[in-house]
Amino acid sequence: DAGVIQSPRHEVTEMGQEVTLRCKPISGHDYLFWYRQTMMRGLELLIYFNNNVPIDDSGMPEDRFSAKMPNASFSTLKIQPSEPRDSAVYFCASRRGDTQYFGPGTRLTVL
Amino acid sequence: KQEVTQIPAALSVPEGENLVLNCSFTDSAIYNLQWFRQDPGKGLTSLLLIQSSQREQTSGRLNASLDKSSGRSTLYIAASQPGDSATYLCAVAGGSNYKLTFGKGTLLTVNP
């Protein structure tokens, strides 16, 4: 299995632009998670889905953030408009059972 | 609100040394506790998972213990190697079981 796939791996954009991060979970996994990692705050859960349905989005920082999972093999995290404080590494993870499997992350830099 | 603390934040040891990484959490009502490894520029890899009813788990040179009542876990690494150099994160799953709360990690450097 290829593991959790994220794209792009690196994204540099200017403040105010729309950013879309993509994730392909491991086939057969029924949970998908989006995390953000910064030096200051560590790793934080933003939102998670179960069987493509958003279950808890209490970690989404603002209305500028949105996430979708149109099918079992694809999810997006969108930031519109982006701000410099959104600069971080964004991880997607999927799970079946107790263990979460993480993707390599997308390093986002907002100038 | 669950808080997870890892001490020390960084640790440097010579190759071959046995070492212990510490993790503490504030809410003992957890479902499980997991230790992850993160290499620079990479995602997280699960190392060990301890269910709340268990006291320890072992995998190769790694041994993780859990004392739920005191809110503590330790990760013991035996005979450390330079390849063990990475950031080690502790995470607890509470409430619904699906939400992990992470510590900020311990950056381990094993010197040849």
Side-chain angles (χ1 to χ4, degrees):
Chain A
D1 198 319
V4 177
I5 299 172
Q6 291 187 247
S7 65
R9 293 294 312 278
H10 302 274
E11 176 81 27
V12 180
T13 191
E14 293 189 347
M15 182 174 62
Q17 295 297 306
E18 177 180 297
V19 175
T20 299
L21 311 181
R22 297 173 176 80
C23 174
K24 176 179 169 55
I26 294 172
S27 177
H29 285 196
D30 52 355
Y31 282 86
L32 183 139
F33 304 81
W34 282 100
Y35 292 89
R36 178 172 68 176
Q37 187 176 41
T38 62
M39 289 291 291
M40 284 291 290
R41 301 175 66 93
L43 202 62
E44 302 173 287
L45 176 65
L46 300 176
I47 185 172
Y48 75 92
F49 297 81
N50 177 217
N51 292 323
N52 313 338
V53 177
I55 303 300
D56 186 343
D57 65 355
S58 61
M60 296 285 260
E62 299 172 33
D63 291 345
R64 298 184 295 106
F65 287 69
S66 63
K68 294 181 179 179
M69 192 166 186
N71 56 62
S73 59
F74 183 66
S75 177
T76 60
L77 178 67
K78 186 176 293 187
I79 308 172
Q80 166 63 20
S82 58
E83 296 183 2
R85 58 193 168 121
D86 301 331
S87 298
V89 181
Y90 291 81
F91 288 102
C92 175
S94 67
R95 59 163 274 190
R96 183 181 177 126
D98 287 332
T99 301
Q100 289 192 20
Y101 296 84
F102 281 74
T106 294
R107 181 173 294 276
L108 174 64
T109 302
V110 183
L111 304 174
Chain B
K1 177 185 174 185
Q2 180 74 270
E3 293 183 3
V4 180
T5 302
Q6 291 188 244
I7 295 174
L11 180 64
S12 181
V13 301
E15 181 177 2
E17 191 163 297
N18 302 325
L19 58 99
V20 175
L21 307 181
N22 296 291
C23 171
S24 62
F25 47 94
T26 55
D27 185 352
S28 61
I30 66 171
Y31 185 81
N32 64 49
L33 183 144
Q34 301 178 46
W35 283 93
F36 291 85
R37 168 182 173 142
Q38 185 175 24
D39 292 284
K42 302 285 183 64
L44 282 68
T45 301
S46 180
L47 297 173
L48 290 165
L49 183 152
I50 311 177
Q51 300 291 354
S52 62
S53 58
Q54 298 176 318
R55 297 283 294 181
E56 65 178 316
Q57 281 287 339
T58 298
S59 176
R61 295 182 293 108
L62 305 180
N63 176 275
S65 68
L66 173 64
D67 184 341
K68 201 173 69 166
S69 61
S70 68
R72 295 178 188 274
S73 175
T74 62
L75 178 66
Y76 175 83
I77 303 177
S80 59
Q81 303 171 358
D84 295 330
S85 298
T87 297
Y88 291 81
L89 295 108
C90 166
V92 297
S96 67
N97 160 43
Y98 307 119
K99 295 178 68 169
L100 289 179
T101 302
F102 281 84
K104 291 190 176 181
T106 294
L107 175 61
L108 173 66
T109 303
V110 181
N111 301 300

